[in-house]
Structures are given as structure tokens and as C-alpha cells.
Amino acid sequence: VQLVQSGAEVKKPGASVVLSCKASRDDFTNLYMHWVRQAPGRGLEWMAVVTPNAGSMSFAQRLRGRLTMTSDTSAGTVFMAVNSLTSDDAALYFCALGGPQHLEIWGQGTLVTVSS
Amino acid sequence: ILLTQSPGTLSLSAGERATLSCRASQSISGNYLAWYQQRPGQAPSLLIYGASTRATGVSDRFSGTGSGTEFTLTISRLKPEDCAIYYCQQGGSSPITFGQGTRLEIK
């Protein structure tokens, strides 16, 4: 299984960014797709999880309201939108596939830069 | 659940054994504690889940122990490629949380 993420993004403060994550296996929809981000030189921050098949989602409390997740199961792709970007959202964003308790397969990451 | 890792940085020589600690602010349900390795410039990779089960393809030099609030990752016979930051992560309670990481340097 491989996860391939979309390319780097540069956005202005207040804008939105949409990130994508494509899985190489058809049955990924039965697994859990997590999103984790890492600010420059910082640790890992869990953001959200979706089960594409069930449509169930869960978000980190402090990001709730600014995140939207959708899935295109026929294309094996999950999307996450982050709205109302600030400089604090500048980070490397990872998608990761696994179970509800741990993250087994990670994408290569998408760098999001927020700059006016 | 807050996870506190220690030490912050560990500097050891090749061939030695590394012991990394992860302490939780409350007991982790089901011992759903995982360890990840993140080499410079790379995405994290899963080493251990369920506190002690090695992920597929992970060397038996890596072992995890612990339960409740105290967990340990041990890396035996250190190699230069073990130079990385190691994170613990709990999945027993929502939301998932990560420790702040331990940087392992190989002298």
C-alpha cells in the first residue's frame, strides 16, 4: 500500500487549501485515514480521521470548524480542506492509513506555506 | 491524554542500547500505545503498536514494553541509521495524541 499526496501549496492568510491523498489499494475505504501535521522543527499534531466507507469523521477540538474532509472512493482519494489559514497553519501535512488506534502507512507529506 | 517523552535527546554510540520513555497523564485504554521513527526529511514510520507488537518489517532490535501510564521503547545494537526522532502516540482515548519526541543521536 502506498499513499501519494498532492504537491506543495502557497496560500495567503485567510485563504483555504485543499489537500489530497490517494491510496494504491481499493479496500482502503474500510480503513481509517488520518491527517497529521508537523510545523517546521516541531512535533506531530493529529488533526482528524475519516473512514471513507462509513463516512464517519472525528476532528481535533482546536481545529474543529476549520476542517472539511471528503472522499472519492472510486478514485481511492481522500481530500481535506483547511479554511481561514493563518501563519500557525504553515506545516508539513501527512495523511496516514491504519486503524483507529495507530497509523500504519504514511504519505510523503504536503508542505503548506502561508504567506502574504 | 498528555504524553511526555524522556529524555529529550539521547546520544549513544553504535552497538549500544537505547531506552526511550513515554509517560501518559492517565492510563491508556487497551494499551493502545504506538511508537514511530522519523528520520530527517522523511515521513514517520510505524515501529510498534499495541505497546509491544512490532509492525511488519521492523527489525527485532526494536522492542516495546509497558502498560497503563509507563511505556518504553528499547533499541538494541544501535546502528547509524537509527539516528532519528522517535515519537510515542496513544490511541486509547480520543483525540489521538503524540509525545513531543526523543531525538536519538549516534556518536
Side-chain angles (χ1 to χ4, degrees):
Chain A
V1 177
Q2 283 190 320
L3 299 177
V4 179
Q5 297 186 235
S6 47
E9 301 270 7
V10 180
K11 296 293 182 181
K12 295 186 185 302
S16 298
V17 65
V18 180
L19 311 175
S20 69
C21 177
K22 181 176 174 59
S24 63
R25 61 186 288 180
D26 293 338
D27 62 346
F28 87 103
T29 57
N30 295 319
L31 301 175
Y32 291 72
M33 185 71 83
H34 300 261
W35 290 89
V36 174
R37 70 182 181 181
Q38 186 171 37
R42 305 295 296 273
L44 303 171
E45 177 187 14
W46 181 84
M47 300 176 67
V49 63
V50 60
T51 50
N53 201 34
S56 173
M57 302 180 194
S58 180
F59 300 92
Q61 182 68 34
R62 75 184 205 96
L63 295 171
R64 193 185 307 269
R66 291 206 297 129
L67 300 182
T68 305
M69 286 192 293
T70 56
S71 304
D72 182 347
T73 54
S74 63
T77 303
V78 173
F79 301 89
M80 183 179 72
V82 184
N83 304 312
S84 304
L85 291 167
T86 72
S87 57
D88 289 342
D89 296 313
L92 188 57
Y93 288 72
F94 296 102
C95 59
L97 197 59
Q101 291 96 14
H102 64 269
L103 290 62
E104 190 166 347
I105 306 293
W106 293 65
Q108 84 278 16
T110 295
L111 183 64
V112 175
T113 301
V114 182
S115 174
S116 55
Chain B
I1 295 179
L2 179 65
L3 299 179
T4 302
Q5 293 187 239
S6 61
T9 301
L10 192 54
S11 184
L12 295 169
S13 298
E16 291 189 306
R17 173 183 296 180
T19 302
L20 288 67
S21 173
C22 178
R23 175 173 292 178
S25 60
Q26 56 187 275
S27 184
I28 296 177
S29 172
N31 286 331
Y32 291 123
L33 192 287
W35 291 93
Y36 300 85
Q37 176 192 66
Q38 186 177 31
R39 292 184 173 126
Q42 296 186 15
S45 64
L46 178 66
L47 294 173
I48 301 285
Y49 63 94
S52 61
T53 302
R54 272 188 298 275
T56 303
V58 173
S59 168
D60 60 5
R61 295 188 300 107
F62 294 87
S63 63
T65 58
S67 64
T69 61
E70 300 280 346
F71 298 87
T72 300
L73 174 69
T74 301
I75 311 170
S76 59
R77 305 184 303 280
L78 283 170
K79 298 182 177 183
E81 60 260 36
D82 297 332
C83 179
I85 299 176
Y86 293 83
Y87 294 95
C88 59
Q89 170 253 313
Q90 69 81 24
S93 299
S94 183
I96 282 176
T97 50
F98 289 90
Q100 83 280 16
T102 290
R103 182 183 299 273
L104 176 61
E105 300 174 346
I106 309 298
K107 291 186 284 189

